[in-house]
Amino acid sequence: MIVKAKRLTKRFYEQKMEITALDDIDLDIKNGATALLGPNGSGKSTLIKLILGLLTPTSGKIELFPGINESIGKKLMRVGYMPETPSLISGVNAVKFIRHIGMISGLSYNLALQRAHEVLDYVGIFEERYREIKGYSTGMKQRILFAQALVHDPEFLILDEPTTGLSPEGRSEMLQLISEISKEYGKSILFSTHILPDVEKICHNVIILHLGKVLYEGSSSQIIKDAKKGKRIVVSTNVEKVTRDFIEHGMKVIKDWRQENAFFVRTHEKLSFSFAHEIAEQNGATLIEFRDEEVSLENLFVDRIKEEVKA
Amino acid sequence: MSVYESRYRPLREEKVERAFMDNAKIMTRFEIGKSISGKWSKIPLIFAAFFLFIALTSLPALLILPEDDFVTNLEFFSSFFLTPREGPGSLIWLHVAIINSGLIATDLGDNTFNLYLTKMKLKTYFISKVIASIVLTFLGLPLVAFAYFIVAIYKRGLPIFPFNWNLIGQYFVILSKLVLFTIFIVFLYSSVILLFSAYTKKSINAGVLFIVYLIASSVIFDGILYDTTGFEPFRLLSPLTSMYIVFTNFFTREVISTGQFPTLEKESPDLVPYAVGMVILYALLSLFLTYKRLQFLRRD
């Protein structure tokens, strides 16, 4: 177990208004890669700051490496943190920056210098490392941030939106590095993001936060298995009429925003092709596609939040 | 074909949990190095070196003076570099405004403030910035004052062989005054600049605010309120005037053998204890507010 939170609440007071960022939550972050999902304002950053000791809980308890009898300072030396916003020291080059972070993370000068070169090699920053950080591209800055999180070889990495602002190629490379460090080197990772396809590739566990509450906590494969699977249907025309007909038959219809004439039909009973074909024909349309719905974390995430809003 | 494979190497060496002051020392060294190597920081350092050069070129004239005149002039010229308001005083402001202004502001601008706090306590961060600010302020004209004092005595000949207790005593008094006033001036400037640096993400803003604050408070409290009302305590509200009052009463600057410089009159001698208190209060208040600001920023 990496982090344990019990009845954790964090409230802020801004302009005499009380804002509840985290509302009486219980959660466990286990070893391995965990995704922390949630829209803006869901409490992700507050949770990360509480884990890192930057904030103190209003009530409840949060414990890093529970059961291990060490000072918080020593525990934090086992954590690497990659912040969301580019947090790089201006006026120095990458080697000096990472060496400095290494030194304040408990490494000697020589070891910090050696490690700075090693982790920069690992993330693919070569000759550029002697250039001032200010002139680096977004992708290079993200790699350097990842390198500084690794410099002291932490057991637990907290990555706050590590692929934000990256090109598709840069994003893929960053995910490759994260995946490798988690799978091959056994680092536990807390991966905060709202880019869901990233999570599917890397994380075994998922925590979904919304409005300061935990909507879901469990394995990413289980959440997909638990989901109500339906059918994806594409019709040639009259999509409004066809969907209304399905709804009148007591079925749940969700529009697929990716394609104009496509929608998902979810029902407790099995939906047959002949039934769908019949409804389409009755409404003057042709059935173009009829197949099982592919459940992605993205769909589940949106559904969970919709359910919560309804409740 | 690559020469070597870029693989991740798990750390085999031992990490050390640093004591409170160890990380503060690392941070301080880093901040001093970074601030001095900054693009604009060379300017006040060049000015300071120029001042020292000018002072040293006038040294031969001093060395031939009789012993009493030499001591008087030694005190005059050494303390000259610490004058709070006139002459080199403005260079100290410029030095602090350029070199120290980025100490916290750049961390806020670069978003590294929270990254640091994941590695150390807020108190460690704060102490490191205070020490760095003090050292950086000292590295300008205060250091020149000490350099001048030491070079002048060395050139004159150390009063050790044979022992001249009277002269050693006089040198010691001047040195003590220099040390005390340097602590005084460095403590105030390095505290106030930190406060401004904690309220902005751009070091230039902090630097400009620092200079504007020193000048504006002097003009308002000393130039306008005191001049119109004649009520002396108004003067104490300006840190510059408070320091100036202490300076003119602290150093003996009445006998100038070379005749090149006007004698400074002692300003408001009755107010000296209050002026000392106000400067200390200004510095402590600045440090307190800076710490409170950092506590607030940690939460943000």
Side-chain angles (χ1 to χ4, degrees):
Chain A
M1 183 84 72
I2 303 289
V3 176
K4 189 170 185 62
K6 193 91 184 142
R7 305 209 63 182
L8 182 67
T9 299
K10 182 66 193 176
R11 289 193 191 95
F12 294 111
Y13 296 90
E14 265 173 30
Q15 293 165 346
K16 293 181 182 173
M17 268 179 63
E18 187 183 275
I19 298 161
T20 305
L22 289 173
D23 190 6
D24 199 22
I25 62 166
D26 290 337
L27 61 83
D28 296 333
I29 298 174
K30 299 179 184 73
N31 292 319
T34 303
L36 183 61
L37 304 175
N40 289 338
S42 58
K44 298 194 302 280
S45 293
T46 304
L47 179 63
I48 288 175
K49 284 185 176 179
L50 284 161
I51 294 170
L52 291 167
L54 294 173
L55 295 174
T56 45
T58 306
S59 65
K61 197 178 166 189
I62 185 158
E63 206 180 344
L64 185 61
F65 301 113
I68 296 174
N69 193 18
E70 279 178 352
S71 68
I72 184 70
K74 198 151 192 180
K75 283 181 177 179
L76 282 172
M77 281 169 59
R78 295 159 63 183
V79 179
Y81 171 50
M82 177 178 176
E84 178 188 359
T85 43
S87 307
L88 300 160
I89 302 170
S90 56
V92 297
N93 62 37
V95 177
K96 278 188 185 168
F97 168 60
I98 295 178
R99 186 196 68 203
H100 178 56
I101 297 293
M103 285 177 74
I104 57 175
S105 304
L107 306 182
S108 65
Y109 177 90
N110 288 336
L111 185 56
L113 184 62
Q114 184 192 340
R115 285 289 297 177
H117 284 289
E118 283 174 5
V119 289
L120 283 168
D121 282 343
Y122 178 63
V123 300
I125 303 285
F126 299 104
E127 296 84 9
E128 312 91 320
R129 69 184 64 176
Y130 295 108
R131 256 175 37 208
E132 203 183 305
I133 288 174
K134 203 167 64 177
Y136 288 2
S137 66
T138 309
M140 283 162 75
K141 284 179 179 171
Q142 290 293 82
R143 281 158 183 266
I144 290 169
L145 272 181
F146 187 56
Q148 68 76 28
L150 285 176
V151 67
H152 57 299
D153 192 31
E155 291 164 44
F156 177 42
L157 279 165
I158 298 176
L159 311 174
D160 198 355
E161 309 273 1
T163 55
T164 303
L166 296 183
S167 64
E169 194 189 347
R171 201 174 121 207
S172 162
E173 285 169 1
M174 178 59 80
L175 290 174
Q176 175 66 30
L177 283 172
I178 297 170
S179 175
E180 190 177 286
I181 211 78
S182 164
K183 287 172 186 161
E184 284 190 34
Y185 299 97
K187 307 278 179 211
S188 292
I189 287 175
L190 180 66
F191 186 174
S192 164
T193 186
H194 57 261
I195 304 173
L196 294 155
D198 291 357
V199 170
E200 286 176 291
K201 289 175 192 163
I202 295 172
C203 299
H204 320 111
N205 305 311
V206 176
I207 295 167
I208 301 177
L209 288 181
H210 184 57
L211 296 173
K213 293 266 190 194
V214 176
L215 284 191
Y216 178 82
E217 186 188 354
S219 77
S220 53
S221 54
Q222 191 62 41
I223 193 175
I224 293 170
K225 208 187 280 179
D226 288 349
K228 293 169 198 162
K229 286 185 187 170
K231 296 286 180 191
R232 184 174 188 271
I233 293 173
V234 182
V235 289
S236 58
T237 183
N238 292 342
V239 67
E240 295 297 327
K241 279 185 178 177
V242 177
T243 51
R244 206 178 306 130
D245 211 346
F246 275 110
I247 293 167
E248 280 167 9
H249 281 85
M251 294 173 193
K252 190 177 172 188
V253 175
I254 297 162
K255 185 98 184 74
D256 186 353
W257 51 269
R258 291 168 296 184
Q259 196 178 338
E260 202 182 336
N261 287 345
F263 55 92
F264 301 105
V265 177
R266 288 175 188 165
T267 171
H268 294 296
E269 292 153 25
K270 203 179 174 203
L271 177 63
S272 68
F273 174 79
S274 55
F275 181 74
H277 180 69
E278 198 180 311
I279 287 187
E281 274 206 331
Q282 279 170 7
N283 291 289
T286 311
L287 198 61
I288 295 173
E289 188 181 303
F290 180 86
R291 61 179 171 84
D292 285 338
E293 178 186 350
E294 285 172 8
V295 183
S296 68
L297 273 175
E298 190 161 9
N299 295 341
L300 289 172
F301 179 56
V302 173
D303 289 354
R304 289 269 176 176
I305 287 178
K306 275 184 185 165
E307 280 168 24
E308 176 72 10
V309 170
K310 266 187 197 167
Chain B
M1 197 181 86
S2 60
V3 178
Y4 59 93
E5 203 181 357
S6 299
R7 301 282 296 164
Y8 181 75
R9 183 183 74 88
L11 191 69
R12 287 177 209 97
E13 296 82 353
E14 195 67 19
K15 282 184 269 187
V16 189
E17 189 186 2
R18 299 223 186 268
F20 175 75
M21 280 313 287
D22 290 342
N23 259 347
K25 270 190 236 165
I26 293 169
M27 279 289 286
T28 304
R29 271 202 297 264
F30 182 79
E31 287 300 336
I32 291 170
K34 190 162 77 84
S35 300
I36 288 177
S37 61
K39 199 166 44 176
W40 298 102
S41 11
K42 309 287 184 301
I43 297 169
L45 294 177
I46 290 168
F47 272 120
F50 177 72
F51 265 99
L52 182 63
F53 172 75
I54 296 289
L56 291 179
T57 53
S58 66
L59 196 57
L62 219 70
L63 296 174
I64 55 169
L65 292 173
E67 193 175 287
D68 284 349
D69 286 347
F70 172 74
V71 170
T72 312
N73 279 284
L74 178 68
E75 182 168 348
F76 178 90
F77 282 109
S78 305
S79 61
F80 174 70
F81 298 106
L82 301 174
T83 317
R85 228 163 48 175
E86 282 100 12
S90 48
L91 186 64
I92 305 184
W93 313 340
L94 184 73
H95 171 94
V96 173
I98 291 177
I99 298 186
N100 299 32
S101 56
L103 279 171
I104 296 173
T106 49
D107 289 347
L108 302 179
D110 295 340
N111 297 309
T112 45
F113 176 63
N114 271 339
L115 184 62
Y116 279 138
L117 293 190
T118 64
K119 310 282 180 189
M120 66 186 73
K121 291 179 181 152
L122 184 66
K123 277 179 194 152
T124 313
Y125 176 86
F126 175 69
I127 292 284
S128 73
K129 296 291 174 178
V130 174
I131 298 172
S133 190
I134 287 172
V135 173
L136 287 168
T137 309
F138 178 73
L139 286 181
L141 285 185
L143 182 64
V144 169
F146 284 97
Y148 180 85
F149 176 80
I150 290 162
V151 172
I153 290 177
Y154 178 74
K155 287 282 180 188
R156 176 82 180 187
L158 294 173
I160 300 172
F161 304 110
F163 270 116
N164 182 343
W165 284 111
N166 183 39
L167 196 54
I168 290 174
Q170 285 176 319
Y171 287 167
F172 182 74
V173 169
I174 298 172
L175 180 64
S176 306
K177 285 180 181 179
L178 283 178
V179 170
L180 279 175
F181 196 76
T182 299
I183 291 171
F184 199 58
I185 200 166
V186 166
F187 185 45
L188 177 75
Y189 284 159
S190 47
S191 310
V192 173
I193 191 68
L194 276 186
L195 177 64
F196 288 118
S197 189
Y199 273 90
T200 174
K201 290 183 174 186
K202 286 189 174 175
S203 51
I204 189 165
N205 295 347
V208 170
L209 279 171
F210 173 75
I211 291 180
V212 168
Y213 165 71
L214 289 181
I215 296 173
S217 62
S218 185
V219 168
I220 293 167
F221 298 118
D222 197 13
I224 300 173
L225 285 174
Y226 169 64
D227 280 358
T228 51
T229 63
F231 186 58
E232 279 209 312
F234 273 134
R235 307 189 75 196
L236 298 175
L237 296 173
S238 157
L240 269 186
T241 310
S242 290
M243 270 201 303
Y244 192 68
I245 290 170
V246 178
F247 179 81
T248 55
N249 286 281
F250 202 56
F251 291 103
T252 311
R253 301 171 62 91
E254 287 167 348
V255 184
I256 309 300
S257 305
T258 56
Q260 292 168 352
F261 296 92
T263 304
L264 280 180
E265 284 181 21
K266 291 188 187 299
E267 294 245 342
S268 311
D270 299 343
L271 289 181
V272 172
Y274 302 104
V276 172
M278 283 305 282
V279 171
I280 293 170
L281 186 70
Y282 268 120
L284 290 177
L285 190 65
S286 300
L287 292 178
F288 174 74
L289 293 176
T290 306
Y291 190 70
K292 285 284 159 198
R293 172 73 181 159
L294 294 179
Q295 277 184 323
F296 172 80
L297 289 170
R298 176 171 62 174
R299 195 205 84 156
D300 205 17

